[in-house]
Amino acid sequence: MLDRTLHDLRYACRSLSRSPGFSLTVILMLALGIGGATAVYSVVDGVLLKPLSYPNPDELVAVWHDAPGAPGIAAMSGGLPMSPSMVLAYREQNRSFQSMGSWLPGTASVTEVGRPEQVPTATVLGDALQTLGIPPLLGRWLTDDDHRIDAAPVTLLGHRYWQRRFGGDPNVIGKTVTVDSLTTEIVGVMPQGFRFGDSDADLIAPMRFDRARLGPAPFCCVGIARLKPGVTLEQANADLERLLPIWLRLFPFPGGPNPEGRNITAEQIYLDSWRMTPVLRPLKADILGDIGDVLWVVMATIGIVLVIACANVTNLLLVRGERRTQELAMRAVLGAGRWRLTRPLMLESTVLSLAGGLSGVAVAYGALVLLLDRAPPGLPRLDAIALDLRALAFTLIVTIGTGCVLGITPALRAARSRPATALRGGGRGASSGRAQHRAQNTLVVGQVALALVLLVSSGLMIRTFDALRSVEPGFAAPETVQTFRIVIPDPRSADPRIASDPRDVIRQQHEILEALDALPGVSSAAFTTGLPMEGAHGWDDLQIEGRPVLGSALRTYRNVSPGYFGTMGTRLVAGRDIEWTDIDDTRPVVLISESLAREVWQEPAAALGKRVRPGSGGAWREIVGVVEDMRDNGLDQAPPTTIYWPALVAEMYFGLPFYVSRAVAFAVRSPLAGTAPLARQIEQAVWSVNPDVPVAAAQTMQNLYERSL
């Protein structure tokens, strides 16, 4: 039997070699179908099917909260994060977790190790690293002592950063690096591939705090926990709901339950008004979000493409079989049985399928390289996508299955043919009967139907994409706006967002603006704490003078410099812009978005002269201008209601006399945006003011705009 099979295999190969055009056409179609299916399966497997790269990943959960009574939280990605005080209370009082901690993504400026550089960071609290269960490659984990406000600054290095900046030096433990102007000791190096969920971090540092000064807010930390054996999500949720009032008793408002003369307690705000409840999710589900639905749709779509390719190839095999009708009839007359007749046809299909599968691997590899290079920013677990053994096994299964599918119809057709009729008809007439036409017509109808489904779906997607491109984003000519980020370090600040000498920070930022304005071809420059489409913004509940505090809605906010809206090409709907005299004199002014003005006062002009302040307190501020809405969460999402505070404000946050963000994004309008000469000039302009400030995340607004699509 093996000899006969090998003989038929050689015969099939010789037969295909005599029709190179036919063979190459079939192999190409199968390569596209199998290669596309393999590429998409590699994405589905890497993103959805592979477990997280932590010990016992099913025990890991993400800790979020819901607050249905606080409008605006529902629009936040994932829900309401945790506050540092909440992490401490839950960690100390829970009955459901083996360990618990949190982390906060951010950036930091590193100097004295080559040129100034801004790197991604993770600020951890509690047992975040221990919870994930990945020990350091070198050195030690962070401890509770590292979190004390008076502790010496320490950090762990990410593996990639250790290799890139320290050459993989095994003696790096104990050395120091200057991070945000602080001399910081290196106490550990994390292993290759370690990530916080789906985020890379070059530096991992402890959150340093004074426990006595912690209050219920701010909600900024991504909570992670490891469940005890046998504890369900429902039980853990009930346990944390029990801890909510305990948390507020342990960490009330600083200064007592009556802050700034308001007779409101933390319980009234967070429990009665916001109606906060814990929401625990498996860590993997939290990382993936709803991307699974999208990927399965794509997998089904590429499956339809493969079916169309199989139907097309089967039709070609049926047409090719017309020329072989007499040959098969003669072999039947000479005594060949049905299996002897159909085996060469099945082997031909298998050879074609294997050749298509091998070519499909090359197609899949090229497709994955292109996909990973142009992957959308929202696609998680990109590092797990690879053309590995699992993907190759999938390719082999699909290839064998495709070969069987391709050979079935021609083989059955040959097995059912009548030798006498075929010989009398001279071959062609007998093979063109009703059965032959019926099989071919069925395949054609199936192909057209499936292709029509794909065509209609593609047309709808293209129409949606075209409609999105016609949406006004809230800024103009994005291809001429160059953006970049800087952080001005301040070693005296315990909070990485707050500078203890804000007037010096705003002075440096203003001088950088003046240096940028002096560059050839630059028409204007400004800065903000978060660019549109970037997703970098803060939020707070907004108090409106004369309206009740409880039930106030959460709003996104940004701090902006004078000239920001002019640089971005954003229309001023009513009133005026912020001016440098407002900042120099710390006047209590604010701008708001058009959507916020219409929601509260129905007309933009009616908002002018009204006063607002953050829910956390501070001085009342007069609305002096209303600006056009900017899209922030994508062109398919409604623009958020936004507050624009000046770059420097007085009596606003944390009981400090002044507040300024030292991490800002600059926008420079110039026809040279996106070019290397302008990038070099920008670096020199920044370094002329402060040589220790790295220029990071350089891109045009056009890049951000296209990424949102």
Side-chain angles (χ1 to χ4, degrees):
M1 181 178 178
L2 180 61
D3 287 339
R4 288 195 298 269
T5 302
L6 291 175
H7 176 271
D8 288 342
L9 180 61
R10 288 193 295 270
Y11 177 78
C13 293
R14 286 198 305 271
S15 177
L16 292 174
S17 67
R18 288 193 293 267
S19 304
F22 166 82
S23 301
L24 290 176
T25 301
V26 169
I27 291 171
L28 176 61
M29 284 189 287
L30 292 178
L32 292 174
I34 296 174
T38 300
V40 174
Y41 173 80
S42 299
V43 176
V44 170
D45 183 50
V47 175
L48 300 181
L49 303 183
K50 288 180 181 177
L52 298 179
S53 56
Y54 306 115
N56 301 318
D58 292 339
E59 296 176 349
L60 293 172
V61 295
V63 184
W64 297 86
H65 291 77
D66 191 17
I73 288 183
M76 297 174 60
S77 176
L80 182 67
M82 302 182 70
S83 68
S85 63
M86 185 182 288
V87 176
L88 297 178
Y90 285 5
R91 181 185 175 217
E92 297 164 1
Q93 303 287 332
N94 82 85
R95 302 169 183 168
S96 305
F97 304 140
Q98 301 178 51
S99 59
M100 182 180 182
S102 70
W103 64 282
L104 173 66
T107 58
S109 298
V110 179
T111 53
E112 298 181 8
V113 184
R115 61 184 291 171
E117 182 181 15
Q118 190 176 122
V119 299
T121 64
T123 304
V124 301
L125 176 61
D127 299 324
L129 293 170
Q130 293 87 333
T131 298
L132 293 176
I134 304 293
L137 179 67
L138 300 174
R140 64 171 177 85
W141 270 322
L142 300 173
T143 66
D144 288 344
D145 290 339
D146 296 321
H147 293 292
R148 296 198 324 266
I149 190 67
D150 57 349
V154 296
T155 188
L156 285 86
L157 303 180
H159 190 276
R160 179 184 60 182
Y161 189 70
W162 174 55
Q163 292 286 339
R164 178 168 60 87
R165 296 304 297 265
F166 295 91
D169 180 9
N171 300 314
V172 73
I173 305 301
K175 294 184 177 181
T176 60
V177 61
T178 303
V179 182
D180 287 343
S181 296
L182 287 172
T183 301
T184 305
E185 181 185 358
I186 300 170
V187 297
V189 176
M190 296 306 294
Q192 186 174 8
F194 174 79
R195 310 184 85 190
F196 276 101
D198 197 48
S199 300
D200 285 316
D202 288 344
L203 299 178
I204 303 170
M207 180 181 291
R208 298 159 63 216
F209 58 88
D210 181 357
R211 184 182 179 113
R213 299 183 62 183
L214 288 180
F219 301 97
C220 57
C221 302
V222 181
I224 49 177
R226 185 176 289 273
L227 295 173
K228 291 180 178 179
V231 175
T232 65
L233 281 178
E234 292 74 16
Q235 292 170 332
N237 268 313
D239 186 26
L240 295 190
E241 193 162 3
R242 171 187 66 86
L243 294 180
L244 281 172
I246 296 176
W247 155 59
L248 293 175
R249 286 197 298 270
L250 290 174
F251 298 95
F253 283 132
N258 192 18
E260 300 191 10
R262 294 179 292 158
N263 190 22
I264 300 172
T265 64
E267 288 84 352
Q268 286 177 295
I269 292 179
Y270 300 119
L271 300 185
D272 299 338
S273 177
W274 285 24
R275 303 196 301 279
M276 287 181 62
T277 55
V279 178
L280 273 65
R281 292 190 290 268
L283 184 59
K284 184 176 180 180
D286 186 69
I287 293 173
L288 297 180
D290 60 357
I291 195 68
D293 297 337
V294 177
L295 290 183
W296 285 122
V297 169
V298 175
M299 190 71 192
T301 302
I302 205 69
I304 293 176
V305 173
L306 180 59
V307 171
I308 292 175
C310 290
N312 203 9
V313 171
T314 302
N315 239 336
L316 291 177
L317 291 172
L318 286 174
V319 173
R320 184 172 183 267
E322 292 181 10
R323 297 186 304 172
R324 306 182 62 184
T325 303
Q326 277 194 315
E327 172 199 339
L328 296 174
M330 183 63 70
R331 296 177 71 178
V333 169
L334 293 175
R338 289 189 174 184
W339 174 239
R340 193 75 177 84
L341 290 174
T342 58
R343 186 169 56 198
L345 299 178
M346 293 293 294
L347 287 174
E348 279 190 17
S349 302
T350 302
V351 169
L352 289 172
S353 181
L354 288 173
L358 288 174
S359 303
V361 171
V363 172
Y365 177 79
L368 282 179
V369 170
L370 180 65
L371 185 146
L372 293 176
D373 181 61
R374 301 181 60 87
L379 187 63
R381 305 191 69 192
L382 283 174
D383 59 314
I385 299 174
L387 194 62
D388 54 14
L389 290 178
R390 293 163 61 107
L392 293 178
F394 171 83
T395 307
L396 180 61
I397 294 172
V398 170
T399 299
I400 294 174
T402 300
C404 294
V405 169
L406 295 179
I408 285 176
T409 303
L412 291 177
R413 177 65 187 145
R416 293 173 181 173
S417 63
R418 297 178 180 179
T421 305
L423 291 173
R424 282 197 307 269
R428 182 169 298 278
S431 64
S432 301
R434 291 184 178 180
Q436 177 78 5
H437 284 299
R438 186 163 55 248
Q440 290 181 257
N441 290 342
T442 300
L443 289 170
V444 170
V445 169
Q447 279 183 270
V448 172
L450 292 174
L452 186 62
V453 170
L454 292 181
L455 184 63
V456 171
S457 301
S458 300
L460 291 173
M461 181 177 293
I462 291 171
R463 189 176 70 173
T464 301
F465 183 77
D466 188 57
L468 285 178
R469 292 190 67 89
S470 65
V471 173
E472 288 293 335
F475 47 85
E479 70 280 0
T480 65
V481 179
Q482 177 73 46
T483 69
F484 62 93
R485 282 194 158 273
I486 69 165
V487 177
I488 297 178
D490 190 330
R492 292 168 290 179
S493 174
D495 187 324
R497 300 167 302 165
I498 308 300
S500 57
D501 190 3
R503 289 190 177 275
D504 179 62
V505 174
I506 197 67
R507 176 189 60 78
Q508 291 188 53
Q509 292 169 342
H510 194 182
E511 289 178 0
I512 291 173
L513 277 186
E514 292 176 337
L516 293 172
D517 279 326
L519 295 178
V522 172
S523 58
S524 63
F527 63 85
T528 176
T529 50
L531 295 165
M533 306 288 185
E534 194 180 37
H537 55 73
W539 57 269
D540 203 343
D541 54 327
L542 181 69
Q543 292 186 46
I544 301 171
E545 191 174 33
R547 303 200 177 201
V549 175
L550 290 179
S552 60
L554 293 173
R555 316 291 184 176
T556 61
Y557 72 81
R558 287 180 168 88
N559 295 76
V560 298
S561 74
Y564 169 70
F565 300 106
T567 300
M568 297 298 296
T570 304
R571 292 183 298 106
L572 192 66
V573 179
R576 66 173 179 87
D577 198 354
I578 295 171
E579 301 171 352
W580 277 109
T581 54
D582 296 325
I583 292 178
D584 294 338
D585 300 336
T586 59
R587 296 173 182 169
V589 297
V590 65
L591 274 70
I592 63 173
S593 65
E594 183 178 1
S595 57
L596 177 55
R598 292 190 182 279
E599 176 190 324
V600 180
W601 294 283
Q602 288 72 55
E603 289 294 333
L608 300 179
K610 303 297 190 298
R611 298 205 304 173
V612 297
R613 69 177 180 183
S616 54
W620 291 103
R621 306 185 185 280
E622 180 185 355
I623 299 173
V624 296
V626 179
V627 296
E628 176 187 5
D629 289 329
M630 287 191 185
R631 303 275 171 166
D632 199 41
N633 300 316
L635 296 175
D636 59 327
Q637 302 293 322
T641 55
T642 307
I643 315 153
Y644 298 100
W645 310 110
L648 174 71
V649 289
E651 300 177 19
M652 188 169 181
Y653 292 125
F654 310 102
L656 298 174
F658 298 101
Y659 169 83
V660 65
S661 175
R662 54 190 176 89
V664 294
F666 278 79
V668 179
R669 185 168 288 276
S670 169
L672 300 176
T675 64
L678 180 62
R680 288 193 295 269
Q681 291 175 350
I682 286 174
E683 284 185 336
Q684 294 304 317
V686 172
W687 293 341
S688 68
V689 178
N690 188 334
D692 292 332
V693 172
V695 176
Q699 59 187 326
T700 65
M701 277 303 303
Q702 184 69 23
N703 298 138
L704 284 171
Y705 174 77
E706 290 176 349
R707 195 176 304 161
S708 72
L709 294 173

